[in-house]
Structures are given as C-alpha cells and as structure tokens.
Amino acid sequence: MVKQVKSGLFFFLIVYLSASGISISAQSRSKSQNVELTQASVRMNDSEIRQKVDALLKMMTLEEKVGQMAQVTLDVITKGKDRYSSAEPVELDMDHVRDAILKYHVGSVLNTANNRARTIDVWAKIIGGIQDVATKETRTKIPVIYGIDAIHGVTYTAGSTIFPHELALAATWNPEMGYILGEITAYETRASNIPWNFSPVLDLGGDPRYSRMGEGMGEDPYLISCFGKQIIKGYEGDRNNIADPYKVASCMKHFLGYAVPASGKDRTPAYIPEYVLREYHLPPFKAAIEAGAHTIMINSGVINGIPVHANYELLTKLLREELGFQGVIVSDWGDIENLYKRDRVAANNREAVKMAVNAGLDMSMIAYNYEPFCNDLVALVKDGEVKMSRIDDAVGRILTLKYKLNLFAKPTVNPKDYPKFGSAEFGKKSYEVASEAITLLKNKDRILPLNKSSKILVTGPGSNSMRPLNGCWTYSWQGELSDEFAASYNTIWEAIQQKVGVNAKWEPGVSYKKIMDYRAEEKIRYEEAIEAAKQSDVIILCLGENSYAEKPGDLVDLTLSKLQLQYAKDLLATGKPVILVLTEGRPRIIREIASNVNGIIMAYWPGNYGGDALADIIFGDVNPSGKLPVTYPSAVNSLVNYIHKPSEEQAKSAGMYNYEGDFSPEFHFGFGLSYTTFEYGNLKLSADRIAENQPVEVSVDVKNTGKIAGKEVVQLYTFDLVASMTPDTKRLRRFEKILLQPGETKTVKFTLNISDLAFVNAQNKWIVEPGEFKVMIGNTELEQIFSVHP
C-alpha cells in the first residue's frame, strides 16, 4: 500500500492489534522495559493526588501558581531571530527556556517549531530539555505539560500514522473505528513525548460553508456523541488511566457552538438560542464528559454577542456546575488577548485576563507573549479583582492533570519503547478506516467497479498529490507539506497505476499551485489532457479542495471553483464516461456537473492510505460502505441540514397562495451506495407504547440480495407527530453497521428508551411529552407509529 517499506524496530512487540484495535501486551516487553513502564504507569488514587496537590498549593507562591496557568508555543523558547520563528535545525534557547520556566514559572508548552513536523528523536531532545529545567532547576519541581493537535494522527511528528479526518471517520458509521484511531494516535503521541492531545472535535457541523467542517464528525449530535466517546476511550483507555505511557489526556473541543457562525466563516459571531445550544450542540460534550475526558478547549468565537472565553454562564454555570466537569478548561490560541484586540469587550489585556479567569478559564493558550498574562494576573489577585480561591481552583486542576498523567514520576519517555510507531500494522488500520469511509454517491448503469483492462485517464488537481488526500493538520497547520513528508505513500494516480499498469495514463489538466493558499489553481497540460481523454475508455476526474485549516479556509462561494467546473465540462464534452472523485473537507456544490457524470465518489480527506483505499474501491477489491455524515447541498442558497422543521418542506397548497417548500439536497444525510443491494422488511416493535422503565425494542430484517458481500448501515429515526415546540422531521436515534454475505439475512435490534424522545422546550428544559411518534428505518419506506406515556 506504500511505495517503500518503512524501517522500524520490530524485535520487541510491545503492542499487538486485535480485531478492535491495539492491545498493549506486557508479556511481549523485555524484562527491563516491563519494570520501567510498569513503575511509570502506577496510577495514584484520587485521594493521594488530592493530598499531593494540596501540599504543593500550600508551598507555592502566587507567581508560581499563575505560571502554571500559562501556555506558550515552542517557537518562543527556541533559537531564532524572534519568538515567532525558529532557526533550523531547531534547538532550545536555554536562556529563553529559563526565562519562561524559572522566572515566569510557565507550566505548559504546545505546538511545533516553524510549523513543521519533527522526528520522535527530535521531540525527545526538545521536550527532554524543557522537562530538565522544570523538574531539576525550579523550586517546585513541577513538570511541564506539553500539548499538540493530533486530530487524525500525530500532526507534527514525521513518520506517524496519518488517519482520515474526523468527517471521513464519521462516514464509516462504525464507532469502533474511532476507538482504533484514538488508540493508535495516543500511542504515537506518547512516543513523541507529548501526553496531551487537543482532540476530539465535537462541534456540531451545521454549516457546510464552515472551514473546519472536515475536522468534525458531521451534523448529527447522536452520531458525533457515539464517535466522540470511542475516540476518548482510545485516547485515555477503558478506565481513563492516563498514567499509562501509551495513553494521553484528551481535550474535547470547542465548547460550545463553534461550527455555526452566521457568516459561515471561522471565528465570527453566532446567534444560537439557548434551547438550540442545549438540544443540538451540548449532547456530544455531555457524552464526552461522561466518558471521562480530562480537558476541554473553548470556542474562539462569539455567541449572542458574548465571547465564549468571557462567558461565565457557559463556562462555570453550565460546564462546571450543571454538567459537573472537573477537568482543565483551556483557551484556544490567543483568545484572551482577542477579548480586547478583536472582540472589544475588554479595554486592555489586564481586563481581558480578569474576564476570562473569572469566567472559569484555567489555562491560557497565550502562544507568544506570556509576560503580560502572568504580570496582569498576579496584579489582579493582589488587587482583589481575582480571588485566590479561583487561582487555587485552576492550578489545582492543572496539577491534578499532571499527576494523573504521571508526569511527576516520569516526565519523558524513551522513543525506543514504542517500536510500533509508524508501523505497517498501524498503517493497515488507517487504510481500513479509509476503506469504510469513502462513500459512493452515484453509480449510473453500474459503471463501477471498473474493469482493470479499461483504458483509464486519471486527471484533475487532486489526482497526483498527497496534500488533498491528507488535508489540514498534517505535518503542518495548513497541510502544505504533505508531498514532502508523505512522498512514500501513494497518490490516487499512483495507486491506480499500481492496479492497472500501462492501461492508465495521467495528465494533470488542472493543478493546485504549490503555495499555501488552497484556492490557487492553474491549467497544466490542459489541452493534452483533453486529447488523452478522447483516447480513453473512462475518465477518473479528481476534483475538490486542497488542504486548509481554520481562518485561511474561509470562502465566499461554496460552489466548486470555476476552473474545475469548466474542466469537468470540457471532459464531459468528449463523450467519455466520467467518474468524479471528490477529495474535500466540506461538500462543495457540484450541481452543474452532478447529473452528467457517470459516477461520484466522496473521498473526504482520507489520509495517507486514501489513495490505496480509493483504488481498491474503484476496481471492486473493496465494496464501498461509507454513508454521508452530512447533508450534501445542491445550491448555495439551500444549506438546510437533515435536522429541520416541517416548514422547510411543505406540499403545494390549494388556493391563491402557494407556500410549497422544497428540501432537495444533492445527496441526503446517511446516504451511500454499495456494489450489492439490500432489502429491508419485517419492521417490528415489541410494544405499541413506551413509558418510563418500559423501553421498546425495534427490530428489522436486512437481506443482502446481491452477489457479493457488503456492509450496510441500518439507521433508526423517529418523528414526534405533535409537540409543544415544532418538532424536527426526523432524528437519528440508533444505527448499526453490519456485514452480510450474498443471500444472508440478519435481524437488527435496537432498544428505544423514553429519554431518547426528549426535546428542549421553551423553558430550556429537557422534556418528554405524551403523544404519538413515528419510527422510521433510513433509506426505506418502513415506518410504524407508537405512543409515548411519560
């Protein structure tokens, strides 16, 4: 699946992959390793940690406490011309390190240097140097906690296992894949000497324009919750024992309502009624808290006129008191400064620090200028504007996290204790996720799978580059370094060429420019590509988006670029069949060409093994089983999600006025084709009513009526026929992915509880009302009515 076999240490089998992921095998370690790692992962109980934290707090000065609440980026403490960049090769500037850690007592560092991935050996040297100062030269001997955004593999570690992005992960509709991603990523993050991962992204992806859509898990709160819990379990372990040297502290983000700004652009204001926040945006975070996530990152934006970083009602009243979250609350990048520099709710830095800390923030991801934060917070406490109890509360949580990670006993690890880092076994798991994620959206006249003897033209800007396969947060923030760091993996063209050899030809036609800006495109050998198309039996046209992240990924038009659309039309004009492959982080509108192409495959950002998985699907070695975790819109003014109110789709009315409403996306949420066919029947409910402590079992038969094995996602929805607040037309309540052999039938059973049918009312309270509900099976016309009796 890769062009060359990577070297690695295979003689110690520290881990083995079970059917559900990775299991750490103590028996396979050497005796010395086993003793060392066992000692390092001894888990103190909560009472022991509390005693140690209390003792530390009593002996710490105010300045030492405030420093623990400060986090800086790595460039600040490396050699270089300024604190915004680093010299190469990257080295710590020990004067800067000591200024930050000894003078200002900074307790956390994040990110990489020069926005560039580093090897595990470089990470060991850098973080080892930081920890030596923190644990040997400071009065308190408190280790630094290092954090990173490892959202689909270890972003900033060269040679790590890069997975598909979270949107693709959700397209598998198989939460076990979330566990696998989490467990492998935790292992490789710890191998990099980094114990804290700013992941998973639990934002409700309600706006397809949004530049971080690809980082999240779609538009349904239940689907996000299911995957979020499994990712956290993978990161932290079954019992959340993050002292385990193969586990990390997870950081759910971005609390709350981050992904639905009114403009569709990153870090711009959102207007969200409280009942909407509670019913749709909050459940994934509530589920993650119940799953034991240790930390949480805050929304960088503004909701209803109040920046979330200054919102006491959200951070303290809701998150701390109502949800009972006991972990560390960390800001996003520079967002305390943004309270006065951008949002204008504070007059200066001091006032911004006061607002954020009093709102409930524990740690500031300052990034660069740590001195003003530390100096201002010390002064605020001395002047009585921030209570010492608030400082002790925040620092106590930070110290607790460090003890739970066992950083006091073992602040660093030896990369040699992680021989499965970047291994072929891990890579196979990434490939499996990509294979289950890639979604077949159109297959006119069963053109797919292709015959390997066909003459094939592979073309388009996504056809021969790793960047549009990996997307953002891959070796760099914007992902522009993928072709450098991932050169040993197959692009789409290379994977297809390995399948069919001389029967395939590549011409770019249109290419992404090799610069940071994801929008930059150009014609390359355009006319030659058109001529090559005329000589081919079929065209595989790879369009979509180049990589981007956050604010640089903002757009003004969701429609696919004019150049790409024109290229598609020119290829269609040859009369040859076109298979459209979309590598993109959000659903770009393709209505001008969708009806004319013969096949459409949504590949999302499928990672380093995405080219291999895609080729296997195109030629039938893998039967596609992905389903959309989002609604794929058909027009820029039709961005309604599948969760919507009845007025969004009204039948034509009689009389003078016609109030017909049309919900007509290009492809519906939960949709995805297979190379086989499935037949549903025999929908049954165990009772015709549901009440407290009286759940209803819903069963349905699913048969594979085709000639090859296939996986199907059985989706259960409900519809509240009458409610005190206008109900959603349908809501996903349960799902299960099953494998069926040709001719095989399985009965799939779901249990519905009365709490599954609750909604948030006008008083912002969860409520279940008596009445009738409809249960529906996705992608079928099967439905039944049952009654609810709270």
Side-chain angles (χ1 to χ4, degrees):
M1 286 184 286
V2 293
K3 286 179 278 188
Q4 60 189 43
V5 178
K6 298 178 184 177
S7 62
L9 299 174
F10 292 97
F11 46 89
F12 284 122
L13 295 180
I14 286 185
V15 299
Y16 64 87
L17 290 175
S18 67
S20 62
I22 316 162
S23 296
I24 305 302
S25 173
Q27 295 176 344
S28 64
R29 303 180 188 127
S30 70
K31 189 172 183 180
S32 61
Q33 284 177 317
N34 194 40
V35 171
E36 180 185 0
L37 293 176
T38 300
Q39 290 175 343
S41 60
V42 171
R43 183 181 190 178
M44 290 186 290
N45 63 44
D46 290 344
S47 177
E48 291 174 316
I49 291 176
R50 183 73 260 170
Q51 291 177 10
K52 289 182 177 292
V53 169
D54 287 345
L56 261 178
L57 288 173
K58 288 179 181 177
M59 60 90 68
M60 292 172 71
T61 65
L62 171 60
E63 290 76 10
E64 288 169 337
K65 292 176 181 179
V66 165
Q68 287 298 308
M69 299 172 66
Q71 184 181 63
V72 299
T73 190
L74 181 58
D75 283 320
V76 170
I77 55 175
T78 55
K79 293 180 179 179
K81 63 179 182 179
D82 54 36
R83 62 175 58 184
Y84 302 101
S85 61
S86 301
E88 294 289 350
V90 62
E91 292 183 57
L92 292 174
D93 185 316
M94 299 313 296
D95 290 337
H96 293 336
V97 173
R98 291 186 173 96
D99 184 76
I101 295 176
L102 299 184
K103 182 177 179 180
Y104 284 90
H105 317 288
V106 167
S108 184
V109 181
L110 82 155
N111 217 8
T112 187
N114 283 342
N115 188 31
R116 186 177 180 84
R118 306 292 164 178
T119 67
I120 54 174
D121 291 329
V122 169
W123 278 121
K125 182 178 180 181
I126 289 173
I127 296 177
I130 294 170
Q131 297 292 24
D132 279 347
V133 173
T135 61
K136 297 176 182 178
E137 298 184 29
T138 64
R139 188 180 73 91
T140 58
K141 305 297 186 285
I142 299 172
V144 161
I145 181 171
Y146 208 106
I148 210 82
D149 293 270
I151 65 172
H152 69 125
V154 194
T155 300
Y156 293 129
T157 302
S160 65
T161 305
I162 298 298
F163 279 83
H165 272 269
E166 279 190 12
L167 189 65
L169 179 70
T172 68
W173 287 67
N174 183 356
E176 181 186 332
M177 294 298 183
Y179 178 81
I180 291 170
L181 177 149
E183 195 162 28
I184 291 174
T185 299
Y187 179 96
E188 296 191 343
T189 304
R190 276 285 190 155
S192 308
N193 269 278
I194 299 170
W196 189 12
N197 185 7
F198 304 136
S199 176
V201 176
L202 301 179
D203 303 317
L204 186 76
D207 191 332
R209 300 172 298 172
Y210 189 55
S211 61
R212 306 193 76 170
M213 170 73 76
E215 297 177 49
M217 290 178 281
E219 66 185 48
D220 182 82
Y222 178 69
L223 186 67
I224 299 169
S225 298
C226 291
F227 275 93
K229 288 186 293 185
Q230 288 300 311
I231 295 172
I232 290 166
K233 185 179 179 181
Y235 286 156
E236 299 199 354
D238 291 344
R239 296 184 300 153
N240 301 94
N241 178 18
I242 56 175
D244 186 325
Y246 302 106
K247 299 300 177 185
V248 296
S250 64
C251 184
M252 47 187 166
K253 63 185 187 182
H254 309 80
F255 189 85
L256 182 67
Y258 180 44
V260 289
S263 69
K265 297 180 180 180
D266 188 34
R267 288 169 166 81
T268 58
Y271 304 94
I272 312 172
E274 184 177 344
Y275 86 91
V276 174
L277 273 175
R278 288 181 172 274
E279 184 167 345
Y280 306 105
H281 295 268
L282 193 59
F285 289 94
K286 184 176 185 294
I289 291 169
E290 292 170 352
H294 277 83
T295 70
I296 193 167
M297 187 184 295
I298 304 307
N299 174 359
S300 291
V302 176
I303 297 179
N304 303 332
I306 302 175
V308 181
H309 279 73
N311 195 321
Y312 178 83
E313 292 298 319
L314 289 182
L315 302 190
T316 296
K317 301 300 289 185
L318 177 58
L319 180 57
R320 285 286 189 222
E321 297 178 8
E322 184 176 328
L323 297 181
F325 179 64
Q326 297 301 311
V328 172
I329 300 176
V330 62
S331 84
D332 206 338
W333 186 277
D335 276 327
I336 290 183
E337 292 181 11
N338 281 335
L339 294 178
Y340 78 95
K341 289 184 175 180
R342 183 193 69 191
D343 297 327
R344 305 291 178 174
V345 295
N348 49 48
N349 187 74
R350 175 186 166 117
E351 189 172 331
V353 171
K354 174 184 173 180
M355 293 176 72
V357 173
N358 283 338
L361 202 72
D362 297 322
M363 182 182 287
S364 174
M365 189 184 289
I366 301 162
Y368 297 109
N369 298 307
Y370 56 89
E371 299 93 341
F373 172 84
C374 294
N375 292 334
D376 284 340
L377 187 50
V378 167
L380 285 163
V381 176
K382 289 181 177 180
D383 292 343
E385 296 179 57
V386 174
K387 294 180 179 179
M388 181 61 81
S389 60
R390 173 76 270 271
I391 301 298
D392 286 344
D393 174 65
V395 178
R397 297 179 195 278
I398 294 166
L399 295 177
T400 297
L401 178 63
K402 292 182 177 185
Y403 272 112
K404 286 187 173 182
L405 284 164
N406 207 35
L407 294 179
F408 283 87
K410 192 168 179 62
T412 60
V413 301
N414 186 342
K416 292 181 180 180
D417 291 334
Y418 298 81
K420 291 295 183 180
F421 174 88
S423 66
E425 290 177 277
F426 284 4
K428 182 180 178 182
K429 290 299 179 181
S430 174
Y431 164 84
E432 290 173 1
V433 175
S435 296
E436 286 206 27
I438 293 170
T439 307
L440 179 61
L441 297 177
K442 183 177 181 180
N443 194 14
K444 184 179 179 181
D445 299 327
R446 296 182 178 270
I447 189 171
L448 294 169
L450 294 181
N451 190 310
K452 294 178 182 177
S453 63
S454 301
K455 293 174 61 179
I456 299 166
L457 172 66
V458 182
T459 188
S463 61
N464 199 19
S465 171
M466 294 303 299
R467 183 176 171 183
L469 288 175
N470 280 323
C472 61
W473 296 108
T474 312
Y475 310 116
S476 68
W477 177 40
Q478 295 294 310
E480 78 283 0
L481 302 179
S482 276
D483 284 321
E484 173 187 346
F485 281 90
S488 63
Y489 299 90
N490 289 322
T491 65
I492 296 172
W493 153 244
E494 289 164 342
I496 290 173
Q497 185 185 37
Q498 287 185 8
K499 287 277 185 188
V500 300
V502 296
N503 287 329
K505 178 180 177 62
W506 175 71
E507 287 286 356
V510 173
S511 288
Y512 299 122
K513 292 183 178 180
K514 296 184 182 301
I515 60 175
M516 185 80 77
D517 187 355
Y518 81 98
R519 304 171 187 84
E521 303 169 344
E522 60 185 340
K523 291 182 177 181
I524 294 183
R525 294 181 59 83
Y526 193 94
E527 296 303 328
E528 290 87 341
I530 299 298
E531 287 304 311
K534 295 175 182 178
Q535 305 305 315
S536 302
D537 296 326
V538 64
I539 302 162
I540 297 176
L541 175 59
C542 304
L543 304 181
E545 297 182 308
N546 212 354
S547 67
Y548 55 83
E550 301 187 45
K551 196 67 180 173
D554 285 349
L555 50 65
V556 295
D557 188 351
L558 190 59
T559 306
L560 199 63
S561 75
K562 291 182 179 179
L563 179 56
Q564 291 191 44
L565 288 174
Q566 185 58 55
Y567 185 45
K569 293 173 183 177
D570 289 344
L571 290 171
L572 285 165
T574 66
K576 297 303 176 74
V578 174
I579 308 300
L580 176 61
V581 174
L582 297 167
T583 50
E584 54 190 14
R586 56 196 156 195
R588 300 298 294 266
I589 290 169
I590 54 172
R591 64 181 303 179
E592 293 182 34
I593 58 174
S595 61
N596 297 320
V597 297
N598 301 79
I600 301 176
I601 300 174
M602 178 64 162
Y604 312 93
W605 282 333
N608 273 338
Y609 296 89
D612 300 302
L614 185 63
D616 284 344
I617 287 172
I618 287 173
F619 294 103
D621 297 313
V622 170
N623 189 355
S625 63
K627 305 286 185 182
L628 288 174
V630 294
T631 302
Y632 203 115
S634 61
V636 294
N637 201 33
S638 184
L639 305 181
V640 177
N641 298 155
Y642 101 87
I643 299 178
H644 60 263
K645 305 303 180 184
S647 58
E648 293 285 357
E649 43 180 323
Q650 301 180 49
K652 187 174 182 179
S653 54
M656 179 176 178
Y657 297 107
N658 178 15
Y659 294 124
E660 185 176 3
D662 183 23
F663 175 62
S664 56
E666 197 72 61
F667 303 103
H668 287 268
F669 173 87
F671 176 74
L673 298 172
S674 170
Y675 292 153
T676 190
T677 53
F678 301 98
E679 180 179 278
Y680 286 75
N682 201 25
L683 174 63
K684 293 181 180 178
L685 276 63
S686 62
D688 61 3
R689 57 179 286 165
I690 187 171
E692 194 71 38
N693 301 318
Q694 295 180 11
V696 168
E697 182 180 88
V698 181
S699 63
V700 65
D701 292 343
V702 187
K703 181 179 181 179
N704 182 345
T705 55
K707 297 180 180 180
I708 60 173
K711 294 177 181 178
E712 172 69 340
V713 179
V714 185
Q715 305 166 36
L716 175 66
Y717 296 86
T718 65
F719 171 43
D720 190 348
L721 298 184
V722 178
S724 58
M725 294 184 71
T726 184
D728 298 315
T729 56
K730 66 177 184 177
R731 291 291 300 275
L732 180 69
R733 301 304 184 189
R734 297 287 186 272
F735 64 91
E736 183 178 348
K737 193 167 196 175
I738 59 174
L739 171 64
L740 291 172
Q741 298 300 321
E744 182 182 7
T745 298
K746 285 185 179 179
T747 300
V748 179
K749 298 180 179 180
F750 302 108
T751 299
L752 274 181
N753 300 300
I754 195 168
S755 60
D756 295 318
L757 307 173
F759 66 93
V760 178
N761 66 11
Q763 290 72 46
N764 299 314
K765 302 294 183 184
W766 282 96
I767 187 174
V768 178
E769 294 180 339
E772 290 187 324
F773 281 72
K774 183 185 294 184
V775 63
M776 303 168 286
I777 301 299
N779 301 319
T780 78
E781 296 182 359
L782 296 177
E783 57 184 47
Q784 282 195 28
I785 303 294
F786 65 96
S787 60
V788 173
H789 299 269

